[in-house]
Amino acid sequence: MHTRAHDEALTEMRGDKLIVRGMRVKADRLAATGICDVVEFTKDPKGIILHGREGKWSPRPVEYKRGKEKNDHSDELQLCGQAICLEEMLCCRIETGDLFYGETHRRTLVEFTPELRQMVVNAFTEMNELFNKGYTPKVHMNKLCQSCSLKDICVPEVEQKSVKEYFINSLKNG
Ligand code: SF4
């Protein structure tokens, strides 16, 4: 499901909706880049102009998840981050998006409230501050790791005191 959502060749019309998969996005105000699973553009006289398309369109991000709804806000934050990127790129306002869960086959509407937007900004501010300081926080195994797409990069099960120590040990051990 996720592979299909990321097939960059897939752009299709469904009724009055233009479905764009694997759309690359960025927001300078967040210093963030990424890829949206799906952005749906619906014909809307109050929408934006799209190059090479007639009429006006309203964008809406849709993110696909294999599992079911989580008990935290991580999926909503990711989707809201995508909306902020799209807003900056397309000079528009996006009020809602959707999360689609493969396990439950449910589509959940997410409102991009001022509170959710602020949480996204705060998370990126903190992340960028850490990045600029060159500081990599230590990670700890937690219940989210099993289903985390970063697991193979993050390797949280490897107990290391620091990144420096990880590199020194890796070089020593060949
Ligand atoms: S694998 Fe790393 S990034 Fe993913 S949840 Fe675990 S600690 Fe966080």
Side-chain angles (χ1 to χ4, degrees):
M1 184 176 65
H2 203 261
T3 307
R4 186 175 148 76
H6 268 303
D7 185 340
E8 297 190 30
L10 283 174
T11 298
E12 61 174 302
M13 280 300 299
R14 267 195 223 160
D16 67 344
K17 271 191 192 143
L18 172 67
I19 317 277
V20 180
R21 294 189 166 87
M23 184 171 168
R24 290 175 189 275
V25 292
K26 75 177 188 95
D28 289 341
R29 64 174 290 225
L30 300 177
T33 62
I35 300 177
C36 294
D37 277 345
V38 170
V39 182
E40 290 181 353
F41 291 89
T42 308
K43 280 202 169 167
D44 176 0
K46 292 185 193 150
I48 52 148
I49 293 168
L50 290 179
H51 179 72
R53 303 267 170 191
E54 274 184 30
K56 292 192 172 175
W57 305 80
S58 279
R60 178 188 186 87
V62 182
E63 178 69 18
Y64 288 77
K65 297 291 173 195
R66 260 182 310 175
K68 52 189 178 190
E69 281 126 315
K70 303 184 181 80
N71 291 327
D72 60 33
H73 292 297
S74 53
D75 294 343
E76 287 90 344
L77 288 166
Q78 182 188 11
L79 192 71
C80 186
Q82 293 175 4
I84 292 173
C85 288
L86 289 165
E87 287 178 342
E88 186 177 302
M89 289 169 63
L90 302 171
C91 298
C92 64
R93 180 83 176 169
I94 303 173
E95 302 296 347
T96 58
D98 291 295
L99 291 167
F100 183 85
Y101 291 95
E103 201 173 311
T104 53
H105 282 271
R106 280 193 55 190
R107 195 162 162 140
T108 306
L109 183 139
V110 177
E111 270 185 61
F112 303 132
T113 61
E115 294 75 22
L116 189 62
R117 288 169 184 273
Q118 193 57 52
M119 285 168 74
V120 173
V121 171
N122 292 348
F124 273 99
T125 303
E126 187 182 352
M127 190 174 65
N128 286 318
E129 279 171 4
L130 292 172
F131 182 80
N132 291 336
K133 281 186 207 156
Y135 175 72
T136 306
K138 288 178 192 149
V139 296
H140 302 286
M141 278 290 277
N142 63 74
K143 59 182 176 14
L144 299 174
C145 294
Q146 264 329 95
S147 56
C148 177
S149 57
L150 296 176
K151 195 171 64 151
D152 293 340
I153 304 169
C154 176
V155 285
E157 71 279 6
V158 179
E159 280 291 327
Q160 296 293 335
K161 288 201 170 106
S162 68
V163 173
K164 187 176 172 187
E165 187 169 325
Y166 171 84
F167 277 115
I168 289 169
N169 284 343
S170 300
L171 290 170
K172 269 192 209 154
N173 300 329

